[in-house]
Amino acid sequence: MSFLTLDLNLLRVFDAVMTEQNLTRAAGHLAMTQPAVSNAIKRLRESLGDELLIRTAYGVKPTPRAESLWPSVRSALASLEAAVAPETFDVSAAHATFRMAMADATAAMWLPSLMRSIESEAPGVNVRMVPLTTREPRPMLLRGDIDLAVGFFPGVAAQLSYETGSPIRHERLYSGKYVCVMRRDHPLSKVELTLENYCDANHLLVSFSGRAHGLVDEALAQLQRERRILLTVNQFFTAGRVVANSDLITVLPRHLIAATGMTDALVHKELPFPLPAVHLDMLWHERDARSPAHKWLRMHLEKMNTVTQSRVANPPTPPASSR
């Protein structure tokens, strides 16, 4: 193959298919027909002497040659786009709708500040929240159901850190710790929390799937211990209400306690065994990576995250009368 005879339009099609991992969606993005996209990929295969993309039940899967080629193609096209069509984005005049997925507690912490900013800076921007019921939001991003997911996605983040060729991008916003949470006058609030009395208590687990097994249970199994999970719920707000009005205890990320709305009725204690840190990650699709509106949203969430971390690290001191 001679580069001089290569139709560079084929690389633009290749980039769109790699981004979407689906010929039909790539065709829609390029304003082309699906047969035209298929034909372009066929011509590129012949030019490069590689299959490049293999059809699967869910779209297409890149070959190793395609994965190694894509970063260079992506970078070159981005440079050309920046040179030909420099970005201009006036947030005050922008009209956009963002579909975001977050757990209830994360949304409760972040949305008030985001809404204040949108009302004052971006009156033409709308937000549509989609329920987050999984630790695996990538299918929602790949299908285009959402524009952004924010939450704790340990398996996804770990995989993306070493995976190449994925159209999903991610950024770590926050790292925190898990704590044991109980009502303020719970019997365990007045004594040392030991492994023994922790396991003897009745527990509430926040579980999106309803499955009564989580990270804590895996840690306890390493110690040859177990606990009784009396109740599972799928919302942090519900967890706070139940724990504040019962003898159940739960484990929550420390920074999400305030989002339960029950801070005055709850106390937290260090766990009597180690747990990995809890991370808050932001995930989005490559198709949106260069969108000025999407960039504005991500940058705004980054700024909000800095404020949130400061609040968690330096909580306000309660009045003397309430101490």
Side-chain angles (χ1 to χ4, degrees):
M1 184 209 73
S2 169
F3 181 76
L4 294 176
T5 61
L6 178 65
D7 184 350
L8 297 184
N9 286 318
L10 302 182
L11 297 179
R12 183 166 165 264
V13 175
F14 170 72
D15 175 58
V17 175
M18 287 292 290
T19 297
E20 299 292 344
Q21 304 279 293
N22 183 283
L23 295 180
T24 301
R25 288 198 298 266
H29 177 74
L30 294 166
M32 297 171 63
T33 64
Q34 199 266 355
V37 170
S38 296
N39 183 58
I41 294 298
K42 178 183 177 183
R43 290 171 56 202
L44 188 60
R45 283 175 176 143
E46 293 169 351
S47 297
L48 299 181
D50 189 272
E51 279 296 300
L52 296 179
L53 298 154
I54 301 168
R55 287 185 181 272
T56 70
Y58 303 101
V60 291
K61 177 182 177 182
T63 65
R65 169 72 169 136
E67 289 185 345
S68 66
L69 178 65
W70 189 35
S72 297
V73 171
R74 175 108 286 261
S75 175
L77 290 174
S79 296
L80 284 171
E81 183 179 11
V84 173
E87 287 183 359
T88 57
F89 180 63
D90 181 0
V91 66
S92 64
H95 290 273
T97 296
F98 297 114
R99 293 157 301 166
M100 302 169 61
M102 299 182 191
D104 67 302
T106 306
M109 286 186 65
W110 290 45
L111 287 184
S113 176
L114 179 61
M115 292 304 101
R116 286 194 296 271
S117 296
I118 286 176
E119 286 181 316
S120 62
E121 300 174 28
V125 170
N126 304 308
V127 175
R128 303 289 180 258
M129 294 303 299
V130 176
L132 182 63
T133 58
T134 176
R135 298 289 186 197
E136 174 49 287
R138 283 180 292 185
M140 301 169 72
L141 290 163
L142 290 170
R143 291 193 303 266
D145 295 340
I146 58 174
D147 302 303
L148 195 72
V150 179
F152 179 42
F153 314 118
V156 176
Q159 188 174 352
L160 290 175
S161 65
Y162 63 82
E163 186 180 77
T164 60
S166 171
I168 304 302
R169 299 289 174 260
H170 84 292
E171 178 180 338
R172 178 141 299 159
L173 293 173
Y174 181 82
S175 292
K177 63 187 294 186
Y178 285 106
V179 292
C180 182
V181 179
M182 63 194 73
R183 62 182 172 86
R184 189 165 291 279
D185 55 351
H186 192 286
L188 291 181
S189 69
K190 301 172 177 61
V191 298
E192 178 187 359
L193 187 63
T194 65
L195 182 61
E196 192 72 29
N197 57 28
Y198 176 85
C199 292
D200 285 344
N202 287 326
H203 294 257
L204 176 150
L205 171 66
V206 179
S207 169
F208 290 158
S209 67
R211 181 170 172 258
H213 188 86
L215 190 67
V216 168
D217 303 285
E218 294 173 8
L220 290 176
Q222 294 292 320
L223 301 172
Q224 299 184 325
R225 302 299 296 265
E226 59 183 21
R227 60 178 178 164
R228 183 196 174 197
I229 297 175
L230 192 152
L231 174 66
T232 66
V233 300
N234 61 6
Q235 292 185 327
F236 290 94
F237 178 78
T238 303
R241 299 286 294 187
V242 172
V243 170
N245 292 281
S246 73
D247 277 341
L248 273 64
I249 64 174
T250 191
V251 172
L252 297 178
R254 181 173 174 264
H255 65 277
L256 291 185
I257 296 175
T260 67
M262 302 299 295
T263 306
D264 292 342
L266 299 173
V267 295
H268 67 270
K269 290 198 159 199
E270 298 290 324
L271 287 162
F273 51 87
L275 276 185
V278 54
H279 305 295
L280 193 69
D281 289 307
M282 178 166 58
L283 305 182
W284 67 95
H285 196 285
E286 172 68 25
R287 75 171 76 89
D288 297 315
R290 291 173 294 169
S291 161
H294 203 281
K295 282 184 179 179
W296 175 84
L297 176 65
R298 298 197 307 269
M299 290 176 60
H300 205 80
L301 290 176
E302 290 168 8
K303 288 193 294 184
M304 288 167 51
N305 174 62
T306 301
V307 174
T308 299
Q309 288 191 54
S310 176
R311 275 201 218 110
V312 172
N314 304 285
T317 304
S321 59
S322 65
R323 279 185 260 163

